[in-house]
Amino acid sequence: MSESAGPTGIYDAGDIYDAIYNGRGKDYRAESAVVAKHIRSRFPAAASLLDVGCGTGGHLTHFAEEFGDVRGIDLADGMLDVARRNHPGIPVERGDMRTFRLRRRFDAVACLFAAVGNLTGEDELRSTLRTFAHHLAPGGVAVLEPWWFPENFTPDHVGGSVVTHGGMTVARVSHTVLHDTGDASRMDVHYLVAKPGQDVRHFDDTHVMALYSRAQYEAAFTEAGFTVEYVTGEYPGNGLFVGVKPVNQEGE
């Protein structure tokens, strides 16, 4: 086994990321349908959507079928490279969810797969929700998938999987604990990646994810001018926050 030639983190390795989640059966189509349903119920005429933290574009391709005018933003070039290759008809670009500025507005903004957990501190959460509001038309809808709350986070969790997808076999083992700061989780992950004709590669990664409370999420939505609802039972993981920008709010 070779220990060399591995990426420095999973967000640098879009092909490996895709192999893991497609191999584990992540249902991007069904998840996108739930998000679209909540958008349509609040803004029936919605025709455009911005996917913030779009990753490799697993949700984007299904959103494009529903809304037509779709665009993606992500901070990781390794994710964007695969999104551009796999979905050449959908524009994606590099941007920071806290501060990005596009020269247009959308009817909906989605931020899924707990990408918001990569933020640090309540100020960054509030800045992110203000940025979402800035890019929404009056009456527009923001749908956000949170990371775990402090009250339902399970410390000392060990997870593992082995998948084969697209000719690549990936073993992934993770251990998640409460971070020393007490307001975030720390997940250490190890990967083994194998393809025929190549040495086995190993790399590891650490993810520190903010444990915002439900009240902190709702306060950030409210401060940004949204009405907000927390919905559970339809979407895997920790539910969804659905915010609506008032029709009389023009933004910055």
Side-chain angles (χ1 to χ4, degrees):
M1 181 179 76
S2 171
E3 296 269 341
S4 62
T8 58
I10 192 62
Y11 298 138
D12 300 318
D15 286 329
I16 298 173
Y17 178 96
D18 263 3
I20 292 169
Y21 291 106
N22 285 312
R24 287 166 60 177
K26 184 172 176 63
D27 196 340
Y28 290 101
R29 179 179 290 278
E31 292 176 5
S32 301
V34 171
V35 173
K37 184 191 81 169
H38 282 289
I39 294 169
R40 287 264 179 249
S41 70
R42 293 158 176 84
F43 193 164
S48 59
L49 179 143
L50 177 65
D51 187 350
V52 179
C54 66
T56 57
H59 293 108
L60 269 177
T61 186
H62 302 298
F63 286 142
E65 295 172 1
E66 175 69 30
F67 297 101
D69 180 6
V70 171
R71 189 167 177 174
I73 290 280
D74 203 282
L75 193 57
D77 290 327
M79 300 282 102
L80 292 170
D81 289 344
V82 175
R84 292 185 181 108
R85 187 185 71 218
N86 289 350
H87 315 288
I90 301 175
V92 296
E93 63 185 87
R94 193 174 191 275
D96 186 321
M97 69 172 67
R98 298 165 294 187
T99 58
F100 72 89
R101 284 293 185 268
L102 304 177
R103 295 181 178 273
R104 59 163 297 184
R105 291 182 180 177
F106 298 83
D107 296 331
V109 170
C111 183
L112 305 176
F113 218 169
V116 70
N118 290 290
L119 301 175
T120 302
E122 197 165 2
D123 286 346
E124 291 194 358
L125 179 62
R126 290 173 182 266
S127 295
T128 296
L129 268 297
R130 287 195 296 268
T131 299
F132 291 179
H134 176 82
H135 288 87
L136 279 171
V141 183
V143 181
L144 183 150
E145 177 187 354
W147 183 234
W148 300 108
F149 306 143
E151 57 268 28
N152 64 9
F153 168 65
T154 304
D156 204 28
H157 175 75
V158 174
S161 63
V162 179
V163 301
T164 298
H165 183 82
M168 179 189 302
T169 297
V170 184
R172 177 187 183 274
V173 176
S174 64
H175 182 214
T176 307
V177 298
L178 185 66
H179 193 267
D180 292 343
T181 60
D183 60 357
S185 62
R186 175 192 169 100
M187 180 168 58
D188 295 312
V189 192
H190 287 258
Y191 303 87
L192 289 173
V193 184
K195 296 180 72 173
Q198 298 181 8
D199 288 343
V200 176
R201 294 179 290 161
H202 167 262
F203 67 100
D204 58 77
D205 204 358
T206 297
H207 303 272
V208 176
M209 303 280 283
L211 293 171
Y212 298 118
S213 68
R214 173 178 171 178
Q216 286 176 306
Y217 282 108
E218 291 174 338
F221 270 93
T222 300
E223 190 269 344
F226 291 99
T227 60
V228 61
E229 180 182 1
Y230 175 56
V231 296
T232 60
E234 300 175 87
Y235 197 90
N238 198 26
L240 296 170
F241 287 98
V242 184
V244 178
K245 180 176 177 177
V247 294
N248 61 350
Q249 182 182 337
E250 288 295 332
E252 299 174 20

